[in-house]
Amino acid sequence: MKDKRQAAVGFIFITLIIDVMGWGLIIPVMPRLIAELKGIAINEASSYGAWLISAYAITQFIFAPFVGNLSDRYGRRPILLASLLGFGLDYIILALAPSYGWLFAGRIIAGITGASFTTAAAYIADISTPETRAKNFGLIGAAFGLGFVIGPALGGLLAGWGIRAPFYAAAALCLLNALYGFFVLPESLRAENRRPFEWKRANPLGAFRLLKKYPVIDSLALCFFLIYLAAQAVQGNWNFFTIYRFHWSESTVGLSLAVVGLLVGLVQAGLTRVVNPLLGNEKSVYAGLLLYTLGLVLFAFATEGWMMFLFLVPYCLGGVAGPALQSILAGHVPSNEQGALQGTLTSLMSLTTIIGPLIMNNLFRYFTSPKAPFYFPGIPFLLAAVFMLGSAIIAWTVLSREKNRMTGHPA
């Protein structure tokens, strides 16, 4: 049984690496593609980039609970494969897009089928024991990181063949990933652990009822929300910010994101396995959130491009918080509702991706425009640092109260 679980983790790990490579390939070229299609400057294009991210997130917000509940009913494997096919279609549309509106169409299709990480997280929960859950969730982050080592660096290089070349490469990777999964990915959810599909759990608002069903989940979900909202300062605006502020080329943007991927991979696959058993989930959450905060403050005040590479170290070290927090959340939910939980968390992530880029990218655009009271391109990172610090405070309050209640001490 142990060997089968390890093999299944390996399958899902490779699947996610290839999946993430597809998105990583196109990030370096998106700013200039949008700027060319709209005929505007890079800092102005950041707002249009935010709307593309939000279009994807809105559709994923609506469909992620539906897909998560489908995976609880029919299994993880078919849902994951359908998701990968949807991403492949998205990248083909982006590659051929003659106007900005077509970019929207592609992103909406990807949002509808974009359940790969939701289903993968439920897959990991299915095959994990309480002792290995945090370690295995860390592999999801490691796959994200390693995919980002290869994807953006390759995307920056492929940009030399044309600004749309990375989109064709991303489409090919996603379709090959689906083919790979069809032949080698086993089903993880046993028939006895499946449950009937329920519409009340499959709508985006009804999915949040799960947060009220189990103690502590609702409050910790707020921490989860703030972490991902803060992360949008980096995820939604890094390419626009660095091209505008430091005049980076696509290859330099790709290299920087490859460094992010390498650091995240080392943290999630290596450091998490050491830090989490040593500190435990709770202290890992606190340490990670404080490191995130430090990294974001440093980004905000960077004056040279090389500083961004240096400041990635404390920021990426903050990645020890995510698997620990996700492990705490998963530990409060039974096995037959892990898919629903991951769908709900993905909906929260999508919610942050709906509003986060619109906040961060428009802040960036405004504070780089003549209308701003002062020039400060790094202001999105500073706001993100406030969100991260707030998440740490909430997590400490909630977990301390739960610990006191369990030990019989007054809250």
Side-chain angles (χ1 to χ4, degrees):
M1 179 63 71
K2 184 177 180 180
D3 290 340
K4 289 182 179 180
R5 285 178 174 174
Q6 289 177 340
V9 170
F11 289 146
I12 205 72
F13 181 64
I14 294 171
T15 299
L16 288 176
I17 289 176
I18 298 173
D19 190 20
V20 173
M21 278 180 63
W23 178 238
L25 276 166
I26 71 173
I27 291 177
V29 299
M30 282 298 280
R32 295 199 190 278
L33 177 61
I34 295 170
E36 285 185 11
L37 290 176
K38 297 297 295 183
I40 55 178
I42 291 294
N43 61 324
E44 295 179 70
S46 65
S47 293
Y48 291 93
W51 282 109
L52 283 181
I53 297 171
S54 293
Y56 169 79
I58 288 170
T59 49
Q60 191 177 61
F61 174 74
I62 294 171
F63 284 92
F66 177 80
V67 170
N69 278 271
L70 280 179
S71 78
D72 280 341
R73 174 64 183 89
Y74 297 105
R76 319 301 184 196
R77 185 176 182 275
I79 305 304
L80 186 58
L81 294 180
S83 165
L84 299 177
L85 290 173
F87 271 120
L89 178 60
D90 164 45
Y91 292 130
I92 291 172
I93 292 174
L94 295 181
L96 300 173
S99 66
Y100 177 75
W102 279 94
L103 300 182
F104 257 97
R107 291 283 76 197
I108 289 171
I109 291 172
I112 293 172
T113 60
S116 56
F117 274 88
T118 305
T119 311
Y123 193 107
I124 291 295
D126 291 339
I127 62 175
S128 298
T129 64
E131 293 76 22
T132 63
R133 189 179 288 125
K135 178 180 69 176
N136 289 341
F137 274 129
L139 287 177
I140 297 178
F144 185 90
L146 291 177
F148 256 69
V149 171
I150 304 168
L154 184 58
L157 292 174
L158 287 174
W161 295 85
I163 201 168
R164 295 176 188 261
F167 295 92
Y168 289 108
L173 278 174
C174 283
L175 295 176
L176 286 172
N177 192 13
L179 186 64
Y180 167 81
F182 180 80
F183 287 107
V184 303
L185 190 66
E187 179 56 63
S188 65
L189 186 63
R190 296 177 179 178
E192 61 269 24
N193 288 332
R194 299 184 187 186
R195 61 174 177 80
F197 181 87
E198 297 180 41
W199 278 106
K200 66 180 180 180
R201 297 188 184 188
N203 70 77
L205 298 180
F208 292 119
R209 293 173 185 168
L210 184 73
L211 301 179
K212 293 291 185 182
K213 187 174 180 180
Y214 301 100
V216 183
I217 289 288
D218 56 345
S219 299
L220 290 178
L222 177 58
C223 298
F224 190 87
F225 175 84
L226 288 174
I227 291 170
Y228 280 89
L229 183 61
Q232 292 306 316
V234 176
Q235 295 175 10
N237 201 43
W238 180 271
N239 47 357
F240 294 98
F241 174 83
T242 53
I243 290 173
Y244 172 83
R245 181 75 173 85
F246 305 115
H247 307 290
W248 283 4
S249 65
E250 283 84 359
S251 60
T252 306
V253 173
L255 177 62
S256 70
L257 292 172
V259 172
V260 172
L262 179 61
L263 291 173
V264 169
L266 291 172
V267 169
Q268 302 271 352
L271 190 62
T272 297
R273 292 168 177 255
V274 176
V275 170
N276 189 270
L278 185 65
L279 297 182
N281 284 332
E282 185 178 344
K283 291 181 180 178
S284 295
V285 169
Y286 304 150
L289 291 176
L290 292 177
L291 285 165
Y292 271 142
T293 302
L294 174 62
L296 288 163
V297 171
L298 292 173
F299 287 153
F301 294 99
T303 57
E304 300 289 341
W306 62 265
M307 294 181 178
M308 299 299 283
F309 283 89
L310 180 62
F311 298 157
L312 282 171
V313 175
Y315 179 78
C316 291
L317 286 173
V320 298
L325 181 58
Q326 200 163 7
S327 178
I328 292 171
L329 285 162
H332 287 78
V333 175
S335 60
N336 67 347
E337 290 194 300
Q338 290 294 333
L341 172 64
Q342 301 307 327
T344 299
L345 294 180
T346 300
S347 289
L348 283 173
M349 291 167 60
S350 296
L351 190 58
T352 67
T353 313
I354 292 169
I355 63 177
L358 296 176
I359 295 171
M360 304 301 183
N361 289 28
N362 281 295
L363 268 179
F364 167 67
R365 178 181 181 179
Y366 179 71
F367 280 91
T368 55
S369 73
K371 297 179 182 180
F374 54 89
Y375 179 80
F376 189 14
I379 196 168
F381 299 119
L382 198 58
L383 177 61
V386 173
F387 290 153
M388 285 291 187
L389 187 59
S391 180
I393 293 170
I394 294 170
W396 179 81
T397 302
V398 172
L399 294 176
S400 296
R401 185 182 301 126
E402 182 185 38
K403 188 189 303 181
N404 289 334
R405 185 167 56 248
M406 291 177 65
T407 58
H409 292 100

